Amino acid sequence: MSPTLRRKLDESIVYIDNDSAPRIVPYAEDFLLEDLPVGTRVIYPKPPIKGLPNREAAIRYALNHPHDCPPLYAQLKPGMKITIAVDDISLPLPPMVTPDIRQTILEILLEMLAANHIDDIHIIIANSLHRRMTESEMKRMVGSKIHKEFYPDRYYNHDAEWAEGMINLGKTDHGEVLNINRRAAESDLLIYVNINLVPMDGGHKSVAVGLCDYESLRAHHEPQTIRDSHSYMDPPASALNTKCVRLGKLVDKNVNVFHIETALNNKMYDGQMSFLGKKEDDFTATDRLKFESIRWTLKKLPWAAKRKIFHSIASHYELIACHAGRTEPVHARILEKCFEQYAVEVKGQADILICGIPHISPYNVNAVLNPLLVQVMALGYFFNMFRGKPLIKKGGTMIITHPCYDDFDHEFHPSYIEFFHRLLPETRDAMKLRHKYELEFAHNPSYIEMYRRGHAYHGVHPFFMWYWGENGRQHVGRVIVAGAENAHVPAILGWDRADSLSEAIAMAKGEHGRGAEITMFHQPSIIMADVDAQPAKQQLQKTQTEIITIAGD
């Protein structure tokens, strides 16, 4: 075979040639090192945007120069009743090195409230139907001083099943019901502290989803809404976002909300793991030695031990933007910064898309990534990481790498086990699952108690996770799991399996032909593919205009 010139059209895109280095592919709590076929397009995250030099100053500036409302200090009066809601542990991933950005914001806010003689302050974790954070997780997130002063009476998790703790805000003009946390709604001022890790976060979703209940979520956490969301990571093209905007406007009509939103760069790993942010062709001898050392160590450990190591590694994200004020202008500016960090222009769709599945998702911090969550990462998150066209063609093949172990965390995910082993063998049809079984799980008293008193995700949560993959399921023709250690987990999910990535690629080429276009999403870190999109600047302006248009409906 004659040598092929290495094509490098964009800093974030590499085409594999005869002389390319093998690629690192996440494989749960491990890595594969794979030679990819010549011509494979590998999409890398953009280099991290340099963090703001003084994040405390950036936060204070945002509070003093908010969008479409007076500065925060001008809104404060002695004796006010204030609630501060914060995003839960599902963001960012992995949890960031301490002090967490939420701690820094809270320290500034509490200092400002104390200076204005305000002491009726509650801090509520906006976990919606996610699991309650443990005390140690809560302490890590806000620091010892705040934890000691506020926990547990004035620093606690939202409880969506506490009827007296919820209040109805009415319905949207489309009939969507909204019940939210009573303490937050009845406060003189609700301050929401957000971290925006992916474009579907923040904005109207923060309060309308983070502090609501099951009845309120039913309007949009359902299969048809997900099918109607072309990409739920592209807000103007997301029916999910449209419904959240309607509900959020209802919040803004009834509650005085002051949003603080933040954007982080994609500096996921630093130090000994920093080589994961480089292209393999650019590795130094030291980088290769570090990688081989890690692989050698991991090879000797069982999955549980590997998991413990990976969950102990914190991310090194840096603050790149902070805005405060009213919901829509704040969120538009944060989205702009997020897309500046994540968006990569891509020409053309792929027949075969390769995605390595890492050890973590928003729903398994400090737990195993169970089969349902592997499905969420593949067909929910990675499929939806696009604007314009999907990165994979209609009917294309997605290849993922994961052992697909049949393992669930019994404390965090009890209802997932019943969903996976009792319901999915009967049907994978999301519509049937919703109509036949969703209410049974949602109102199961055991699951409700485990959510309220323990640390379990709500009984209905596995349904939402299955729906999350619905538009990917409708678009992708076939999913092949490379490296699956068993046959029954892929079979229950409706997927094929292969012993290796090369076998999976051969299986996919057998269907799409020898000339099939192959693309690999290189992980870790977040990428948004602008597929056959307008130039980035025009796309950004279009997105901002559409967000404002939707918000103004």
Side-chain angles (χ1 to χ4, degrees):
M1 182 180 289
S2 59
T4 304
L5 290 177
R6 183 171 298 167
R7 289 182 283 164
K8 194 171 184 181
L9 306 180
D10 182 282
E11 282 299 314
S12 296
I13 296 177
V14 170
Y15 285 86
I16 298 297
D17 61 26
N18 294 330
D19 196 33
S20 293
R23 304 292 135 170
I24 295 173
V25 187
Y27 177 65
E29 297 88 355
D30 210 334
F31 298 100
L32 305 176
L33 189 62
E34 298 283 345
D35 285 310
L36 299 178
V38 170
T40 298
R41 176 177 59 183
V42 184
I43 305 176
Y44 287 84
K46 283 181 175 175
I49 295 174
K50 187 174 174 55
L52 297 171
N54 186 332
R55 71 181 193 179
E56 289 82 2
I59 294 164
R60 290 181 188 279
Y61 183 88
L63 300 181
N64 293 331
H65 300 82
H67 302 286
D68 290 0
C69 69
L72 182 59
Y73 70 84
Q75 299 187 44
L76 302 179
K77 297 175 183 175
M80 287 180 78
K81 179 179 180 178
I82 302 274
T83 295
I84 304 172
V86 294
D87 280 339
D88 73 355
I89 199 172
S90 61
L91 298 166
L93 297 173
M96 62 195 301
V97 293
T98 56
D100 189 290
I101 188 67
R102 285 162 290 209
Q103 176 182 336
T104 306
I105 295 173
L106 284 169
E107 287 173 347
I108 293 170
L109 284 175
L110 294 173
E111 174 190 302
M112 190 177 289
L113 298 181
N116 283 274
H117 308 288
I118 296 169
D119 54 17
D120 185 359
I121 305 164
H122 283 209
I123 303 170
I124 302 178
I125 298 169
N127 51 294
S128 191
L129 301 192
H130 292 179
R131 69 172 176 86
R132 297 166 64 243
M133 288 175 61
T134 66
E135 182 183 350
S136 62
E137 290 167 343
M138 293 171 67
K139 184 176 181 179
R140 184 184 187 281
M141 187 165 81
V142 302
S144 298
K145 183 180 177 184
I146 294 174
H147 180 265
K148 184 178 180 181
E149 183 177 351
F150 286 87
Y151 179 86
D153 297 331
R154 295 189 298 144
Y155 174 37
Y156 49 86
N157 293 276
H158 167 67
D159 182 354
E161 289 289 347
W162 181 35
E164 294 78 12
M166 302 295 293
I167 188 170
N168 177 259
L169 293 188
K171 295 181 180 179
T172 68
D173 55 6
H174 286 67
E176 296 134 345
V177 175
L178 182 58
N179 306 309
I180 71 164
N181 185 287
R182 179 182 292 277
R183 162 77 200 195
E186 293 182 345
S187 293
D188 297 309
L189 180 62
L190 170 62
I191 303 173
Y192 197 100
V193 178
N194 149 275
I195 294 176
N196 237 82
L197 194 66
V198 292
M200 67 178 288
D201 298 332
H204 284 295
K205 180 172 175 280
S206 293
V207 177
V209 171
L211 295 173
C212 78
D213 64 358
Y214 168 60
E215 182 184 15
S216 308
L217 287 172
R218 288 207 82 199
H220 44 80
H221 278 47
E222 55 91 24
Q224 192 59 54
T225 301
I226 299 301
R227 287 184 184 182
D228 293 341
S229 297
H230 180 59
S231 165
Y232 54 69
M233 293 298 175
D234 181 9
S238 166
L240 174 65
N241 178 72
T242 300
K243 291 187 175 183
C244 287
V245 167
R246 286 201 294 263
L247 289 162
K249 291 174 79 71
L250 193 57
V251 171
D252 286 351
K253 184 179 175 183
N254 290 277
V255 184
N256 182 22
V257 189
F258 185 88
H259 284 266
I260 304 169
E261 292 206 5
T262 61
L264 306 177
N265 65 11
N266 60 1
K267 193 176 179 182
M268 187 174 285
Y269 293 113
D270 204 357
Q272 292 297 311
M273 304 284 280
S274 61
F275 64 87
L276 290 172
K278 299 173 69 172
K279 299 177 182 70
E280 289 85 346
D281 298 309
D282 299 333
F283 273 21
T284 63
T286 303
D287 293 329
R288 296 189 189 285
L289 181 62
K290 285 179 181 175
F291 176 66
E292 289 304 330
S293 298
I294 290 172
R295 285 192 83 201
W296 184 85
T297 303
L298 292 174
K299 193 176 292 185
K300 296 180 176 303
L301 297 174
W303 286 115
K306 297 180 191 179
R307 191 169 306 131
K308 191 171 183 180
I309 292 173
F310 272 92
H311 280 292
S312 69
I313 301 173
S315 62
H316 288 255
Y317 297 120
E318 297 169 324
L319 181 69
I320 55 174
C322 180
H323 290 277
R326 296 301 176 205
T327 314
E328 290 152 14
V330 168
H331 190 52
R333 287 167 173 82
I334 288 297
L335 273 185
E336 176 181 344
K337 203 66 182 180
C338 285
F339 282 119
E340 182 183 337
Q341 176 65 88
Y342 301 144
V344 175
E345 289 183 31
V346 177
K347 303 292 184 188
Q349 297 172 286
D351 298 293
I352 301 168
L353 178 62
I354 301 171
C355 298
I357 304 295
H359 70 288
I360 197 166
S361 81
Y363 315 106
N364 77 305
V365 176
N366 297 322
V368 63
L369 190 80
N370 62 55
L372 268 182
L373 296 178
V374 172
Q375 176 263 166
V376 167
M377 291 301 288
L379 295 175
Y381 279 86
F382 288 141
F383 170 76
N384 279 279
M385 288 295 187
F386 71 90
R387 291 189 295 184
K389 299 176 183 175
L391 187 53
I392 183 170
K393 293 176 184 174
K394 177 75 173 175
T397 296
M398 176 180 275
I399 297 174
I400 64 169
T401 54
H402 196 273
C404 271
Y405 30 58
D406 186 356
D407 194 1
F408 293 80
D409 188 295
H410 290 241
E411 181 185 8
F412 291 171
H413 302 115
S415 64
Y416 280 53
I417 303 170
E418 183 179 359
F419 181 93
F420 185 77
H421 284 292
R422 177 188 152 213
L423 303 192
L424 283 187
E426 177 186 320
T427 181
R428 291 189 290 272
D429 186 318
M431 296 294 185
K432 286 184 182 175
L433 288 165
R434 174 173 167 89
H435 294 302
K436 190 173 180 180
Y437 293 114
E438 187 183 296
L439 289 175
E440 174 195 329
F441 275 60
H443 299 307
N444 182 308
S446 295
Y447 291 144
I448 289 175
E449 279 304 294
M450 284 189 266
Y451 162 78
R452 296 195 69 196
R453 314 295 176 202
H455 297 284
Y457 279 81
H458 195 278
V460 77
H461 203 261
F463 289 81
F464 296 165
M465 295 296 92
W466 189 251
Y467 306 157
W468 234 228
E470 187 62 15
N471 62 348
R473 244 184 323 273
Q474 297 296 316
H475 184 91
V476 174
R478 185 186 192 187
V479 178
I480 303 173
V481 191
E485 292 182 341
N486 62 73
H488 73 276
V489 167
I492 289 174
L493 294 169
W495 296 348
D496 294 322
R497 69 169 298 280
D499 287 330
S500 64
L501 182 57
S502 58
E503 181 187 348
I505 292 171
M507 290 166 64
K509 279 189 167 182
E511 184 168 345
H512 298 289
R514 291 171 57 87
E517 294 285 341
I518 305 174
T519 292
M520 173 181 163
F521 246 155
H522 195 284
Q523 302 295 320
S525 204
I526 297 170
I527 309 166
M528 281 285 297
D530 278 346
V531 185
D532 295 339
Q534 305 160 46
K537 193 169 182 180
Q538 292 179 29
Q539 177 74 31
L540 182 59
Q541 290 170 343
K542 180 172 179 284
T543 300
Q544 290 174 325
T545 302
E546 287 170 335
I547 290 169
I548 292 168
T549 301
I550 289 171
D553 284 346

